[in-house]
Amino acid sequence: MDLRVLSYFLAVAREESFSKAAAAIHISQPTLSRQIADLEEELGKKLFVRGARSLTLTDEGQILKKRAQELISLAEKTESEIRGDMHEVSGNIYIGAGETYGIHTVTQAFRNLRETYPDIYLHISSGDGRDLAWQLDNGLIDLAVIFGNVDHSRYESIPLPFEDRLGIYIRRDDPLAEKKQIFPKKDLSDRPIIINRESSGDLIPGVSLHLFRIAGTYNLLYNASLMAEDGIGCVVGLEHIIHTEGTDLVFIPFAPEYTMHTHLIYKKFQAEPRHITLLIDEIRRMAE
C-alpha cells in the first residue's frame, strides 16, 4: 500500500465525502475515486458504504483507518529524524504514559532542557501497559512511563522517584466515604467494583479478584471516575490522578498501604537522536 493513497483514504474517511476530500487535498474527484477503488480492489474489501449524502466506513475500513494513521505517523516521525542534524538539538519527543503523578519528573526534566534548547517539543499520549509496549516496540513513541516490573531483556529503564498509592474512588455520599482506609476483604466484598483492564488475578498481592463483584473495567481513569460518580461501583485506582476537591468523589487508600513503582523505559540497542538522549540524561539526573 502506498502512503500517499493511505493519506487519500484518511481524507475521505475524515470528510465522509469524495468531493469534500478532493477539495481538501487538492486533487480531482475522479482521480480520488479511482485511487480508492484501486485500494479496495488491492485489499479485496469494500472500505466505504456509499450513502445518499455521506460515506461511512465498513468494519474493514475502520481497521484500515487505525493502521493508516499509525503508518503515516511513523513515516513522518522517521523522515523527521533522518532529515534532522544529529548534532543539532531540536525535534519532537513522543512519550506514552500511564496515568501517574510521577509524570512530573519527566515534564520537569523537559522544562529544564527546553530552557537551553527551545527547539524541542514534547508530545504526551496516555495509555495502559499493553498499549504503551506496542507503541514503543513499533516506533510510534520514543519513551514510555509504566507501572510495575520492567522487561529488562527488551528495555532500558530509569526508576522514577515517585510511588503511586492504590485505593478507591467513591461517592462522597457513600457510607464508606467516611473511612480513612479501606480494607478490601472487609469493606468491598459486597460492593461492585471497577478495575483496570490489565488487572490479573489479585486486587492487591494476596487478595484475589474472585472475592469481589466486578462491575466493569477501564483503561483510563477519568472515564472510570464518571462511572463511580454515576453510582456504578467503586473504582480501584491510583491517588492524585483524579482531582476530587469540589467533586462528588473522594479517594481512600487501601490498608495495608499498597504502592506501585513507576519507570521510564526505552528500547535497548537503539541509537536515539541527541535531543532524546539529552532528555533521558536529565530525567536520570533528577531521578537520582
Side-chain angles (χ1 to χ4, degrees), residues 36-51:
I36 299 301
D38 289 346
L39 179 60
E40 290 179 320
E41 183 177 353
E42 177 185 349
L43 296 173
K45 297 288 185 179
K46 288 293 184 184
L47 301 173
F48 294 98
V49 177
R50 276 74 169 172

Side-chain angles (χ1 to χ4, degrees), residues 111-166:
R111 178 203 60 200
N112 296 345
L113 194 62
R114 202 165 192 270
E115 289 175 356
T116 305
Y117 306 107
D119 292 327
I120 58 173
Y121 306 93
L122 181 64
H123 309 277
I124 296 181
S125 58
S126 297
D128 61 17
R130 71 177 77 171
D131 293 333
L132 300 179
W134 188 91
Q135 292 177 45
L136 190 58
D137 291 343
N138 287 276
L140 297 173
I141 56 177
D142 303 301
L143 311 168
V145 176
I146 65 166
F147 305 111
N149 297 325
V150 176
D151 182 352
H152 292 287
S153 68
R154 298 165 62 192
Y155 307 117
E156 301 286 355
S157 71
I158 300 173
L160 299 181
F162 188 83
E163 293 185 349
D164 291 283
R165 191 162 59 158
L166 194 68

Side-chain angles (χ1 to χ4, degrees), residues 67-127:
R67 297 306 184 200
Q69 290 169 331
E70 292 169 350
L71 287 168
I72 290 174
S73 175
L74 180 57
E76 291 173 347
K77 183 173 180 291
T78 302
E79 181 179 357
S80 175
E81 290 176 354
I82 291 173
R83 287 181 180 275
D85 184 343
M86 290 297 289
H87 300 289
E88 178 186 356
V89 182
S90 64
N92 296 292
I93 303 173
Y94 295 88
I95 297 180
E99 294 178 298
T100 169
Y101 201 72
I103 196 68
H104 275 301
T105 302
V106 174
T107 54
Q108 289 166 3
F110 177 77
R111 178 203 60 200
N112 296 345
L113 194 62
R114 202 165 192 270
E115 289 175 356
T116 305
Y117 306 107
D119 292 327
I120 58 173
Y121 306 93
L122 181 64
H123 309 277
I124 296 181
S125 58
S126 297

Side-chain angles (χ1 to χ4, degrees), residues 197-211:
R197 70 174 183 178
E198 292 199 306
S199 302
S200 58
D202 291 345
L203 182 70
I204 57 175
V207 180
S208 173
L209 282 174
H210 294 301
L211 300 173

